[in-house]
């Protein structure tokens, strides 16, 4: 167990340092444009939806590389999905239909607007769908099955995609990220065919330390994707095809105070990074019905409550499905029709509401605040981020 504890320190300290930057970096020292992850052209000149270059996958550095964020958020922006009891999106709501609670206290909604694809073009940047193929936490057979399902989604409607889509392939060797995005499903399917995921070298047969290595690689990849997406405009729907990385939590896993502090910093960094990049996470389990009857698929629910202090941290607080729910996304783990589940995720771009509010001034760094959005109409519910970390 000592080896595991030393590994935790190595993993969590870099991410905790990123969180510390968010509270200490001067606002005027924001990262210059040349330090942002590379894109083919500045977004204002070539938006993702208008990128006509053939899509390519590019390897990214293995280490965390988030640009230093500003010390505080002057306003917090929420992307809010609203649905009726049948799960059908509710359109046409107004600002007065919403109540926003910060730690159960009503907050003034500073700005409000609706995004509705049926209403025609808007000034908002197009929502981008990011497909993450996880060959580290899924078996070779599962990855092959999801390849066919992803291609089915890409090739529907003659390959004409309603939203710009980009592809990420995550293997033991690291992540390859497509520069830009494309609405050409045929080109994306062809690109996917050109890349062989191969048989992973890290698997469950390697026991606890194989699980720890998969956990490490997965969080590093998530950090890379946040860093890449942060400077890109607009909302991103990131669909991660995976049963999830190991939660590494249980009665035999105990952390020291120093390790809990480092882990807490990592939780703050992940939560803040996803929010500032406007990433909504979704998880699609390629095992589908084969996994549906197991206890494993619901274990993540034990970690959904926001972590308010280092003394309450566990590695499971950074589980994939935990981050999905906390970002306002959805967990899909009980169907073999993966292409339909992709479409369900992407449908969140058809209609949603964008709200902003002034965050509370914290008494101390990294003070957790829960967020609840309620609709003042019966039978209607809202789904959005579940919390944020306020700063002094």
């Amino acid at each position: 167990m000592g080896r595991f504890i030393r590994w935790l320190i190595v993993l969590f300290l870099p991410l905790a340092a990123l969180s510390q930057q968010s509270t200490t970096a001067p606002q005027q020292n924001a990262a210059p444009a040349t330090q942002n992850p590379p894109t083919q052209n500045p977004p204002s000149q070539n938006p993702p939806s208008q990128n006509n270059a053939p899509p390519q996958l590019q390897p990214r550095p293995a280490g965390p590389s988030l640009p230093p964020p500003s010390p505080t958020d002057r306003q917090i922006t929420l992307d809010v999905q609203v649905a009726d009891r049948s799960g059908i999106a509710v359109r046409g709501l107004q600002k007065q239909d919403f109540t926003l609670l910060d730690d159960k206290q009503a907050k003034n909604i500073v700005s409000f607007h609706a995004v509705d694809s049926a209403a025609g073009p808007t000034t908002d940047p197009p929502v981008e769908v990011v497909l993450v193929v996880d060959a580290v936490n899924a078996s070779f057979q599962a990855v092959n099955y999801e390849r066919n399902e992803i291609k089915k989604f890409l090739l529907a409607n003659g390959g004409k995609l309603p939203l710009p889509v980009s592809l990420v392939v995550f293997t033991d060797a690291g992540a390859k990220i497509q520069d830009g995005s494309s609405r050409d499903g045929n080109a994306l399917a062809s690109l996917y065919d050109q890349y062989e995921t191969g048989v992973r070298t890290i698997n469950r047969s390697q026991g606890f330390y194989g699980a720890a290595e998969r956990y490490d690689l997965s969080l590093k990849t998530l950090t890379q994707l946040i860093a890449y997406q942060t400077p890109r405009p607009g909302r991103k729907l990131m669909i991660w095809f995976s049963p999830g990385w190991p939660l590494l939590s249980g009665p035999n896993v105990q952390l020291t105070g120093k390790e809990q502090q480092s882990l807490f910093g990592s939780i703050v960094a992940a939560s803040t990074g996803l929010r500032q990049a406007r990433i909504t996470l979704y998880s699609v389990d390629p095992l589908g019905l084969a996994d549906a009857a197991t206890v494993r698929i619901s274990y993540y629910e034990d970690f959904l409550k926001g972590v308010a202090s280092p003394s309450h941290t566990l590695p499971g607080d950074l589980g994939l499905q935990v981050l999905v729910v906390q970002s306002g996304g959805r967990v899909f783990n009980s169907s073999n029709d993966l292409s339909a589940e992709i479409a369900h995720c992407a449908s969140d771009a058809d209609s949603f509401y964008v709200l902003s509010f002034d965050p509370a001034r914290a008494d101390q760094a990294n003070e957790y605040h829960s967020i609840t959005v309620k609709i003042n109409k019966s039978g209607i519910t809202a789904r959005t981020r579940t919390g944020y970390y306020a700063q002094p």
Side-chain angles (χ1 to χ4, degrees), residues 107-125:
K107 296 286 287 187
N108 180 49
I109 298 174
V110 177
S111 67
F112 171 92
H113 72 275
V115 177
D116 188 346
S117 61
T122 69
T123 57
D124 294 84

Side-chain angles (χ1 to χ4, degrees), residues 196-219:
E196 293 294 333
T197 54
V199 180
R200 70 185 187 194
T201 59
I202 307 169
N203 52 54
R204 289 175 180 150
S205 66
Q206 292 177 266
F208 187 87
Y209 295 109
E213 191 171 356
R214 287 192 286 127
Y215 184 96
D216 181 12
L217 281 173
S218 301
L219 291 180

Side-chain angles (χ1 to χ4, degrees), residues 7 35 44 101 116 120 136 171 213 220 223 278 292 296 307 382:
W7 169 83
Q35 294 180 5
S44 60
L101 303 177
D116 188 346
V136 169
T171 69
E213 191 171 356
K220 285 182 178 178
T223 303
R278 285 188 72 186
R296 185 192 65 79
V307 180

Side-chain angles (χ1 to χ4, degrees), residues 36-346:
N36 288 337
T39 56
Q40 291 180 335
N41 288 292
S44 60
Q45 299 176 15
N46 188 19
S49 61
Q50 299 178 3
N51 185 359
N52 296 320
Q56 298 291 329
L57 290 174
Q58 301 293 338
R60 297 292 167 188
S65 56
L66 286 176
S70 58
T72 59
D73 292 305
R74 294 185 182 278
Q75 286 186 356
I76 287 182
T77 298
L78 300 176
D79 297 303
V80 183
Q81 305 295 148
V82 181
D84 62 17
R85 289 191 179 97
S86 301
I88 299 174
V90 176
R91 293 172 158 88
L93 296 178
Q94 304 298 318
K95 177 180 176 180
Q96 58 267 25
D97 297 319
F98 290 76
T99 298
L100 194 157
L101 303 177
D102 180 328
D103 270 354
K104 300 181 180 181
Q105 300 298 313
K107 296 286 287 187
N108 180 49
I109 298 174
V110 177
S111 67
F112 171 92
H113 72 275
V115 177
D116 188 346
S117 61
T122 69
T123 57
D124 294 84
V127 178
E128 180 178 336
V129 175
V130 183
L131 305 178
V132 182
V133 179
D134 185 342
V136 169
N137 296 294
S139 68
F140 179 70
Q141 293 79 6
V143 172
N144 276 340
Y145 177 72
E146 72 187 45
R147 176 189 294 271
N148 293 329
E149 291 293 297
I150 291 173
K151 287 180 62 179
K152 188 189 301 184
F153 168 78
L154 294 174
L155 298 175
N157 194 32
K160 297 178 181 178
L161 298 171
L163 296 168
V165 174
S166 63
L167 183 66
V168 178
V169 178
F170 166 40
T171 69
D172 296 354
K176 289 197 173 181
I177 304 174
Q178 176 188 331
D179 275 334
S181 57
S182 174
R183 293 178 185 260
D184 187 343
N186 294 303
L188 289 169
S190 177
L191 173 66
Y192 196 2
D193 280 338
Q194 294 171 20
Y195 194 82
E196 293 294 333
T197 54
V199 180
R200 70 185 187 194
T201 59
I202 307 169
N203 52 54
R204 289 175 180 150
S205 66
Q206 292 177 266
F208 187 87
Y209 295 109
E213 191 171 356
R214 287 192 286 127
Y215 184 96
D216 181 12
L217 281 173
S218 301
L219 291 180
K220 285 182 178 178
T221 296
L222 177 63
T223 303
Q224 293 170 39
L225 295 180
I226 293 173
Y228 178 73
Q229 294 293 345
T230 295
R232 297 169 65 81
R235 186 186 183 191
K236 301 93 178 177
L237 309 182
M238 184 174 290
I239 308 172
W240 201 298
F241 298 91
S242 176
W245 44 82
L247 297 180
L248 298 182
S249 299
N252 295 324
V253 178
Q254 297 181 357
L255 307 181
T256 67
K258 183 177 180 180
E259 291 155 1
Q260 287 181 317
Q261 187 68 51
S262 296
L263 177 54
F264 181 69
S266 301
I267 293 167
V268 173
S271 173
T272 304
L274 288 167
R275 177 175 57 77
Q276 292 179 336
R278 285 188 72 186
I279 295 173
T280 304
L281 269 176
Y282 303 78
S283 67
V284 175
D285 188 345
L287 300 178
L289 293 175
D291 242 6
T294 65
V295 176
R296 185 192 65 79
I297 66 168
S298 60
Y299 182 40
Y300 74 90
E301 295 174 0
D302 292 346
F303 304 94
L304 291 179
K305 185 177 179 180
V307 180
S309 68
S311 63
H312 294 105
T313 59
L314 287 169
D317 295 319
L318 283 171
L320 172 60
Q321 290 87 350
V322 176
L323 296 175
V324 165
V325 174
Q326 292 177 348
S327 74
R330 298 177 63 190
V331 175
F332 294 87
N333 53 20
S334 58
S335 173
N336 289 333
D337 192 350
L338 305 189
S339 62
E341 292 183 333
I342 300 170
H344 282 309
C345 298

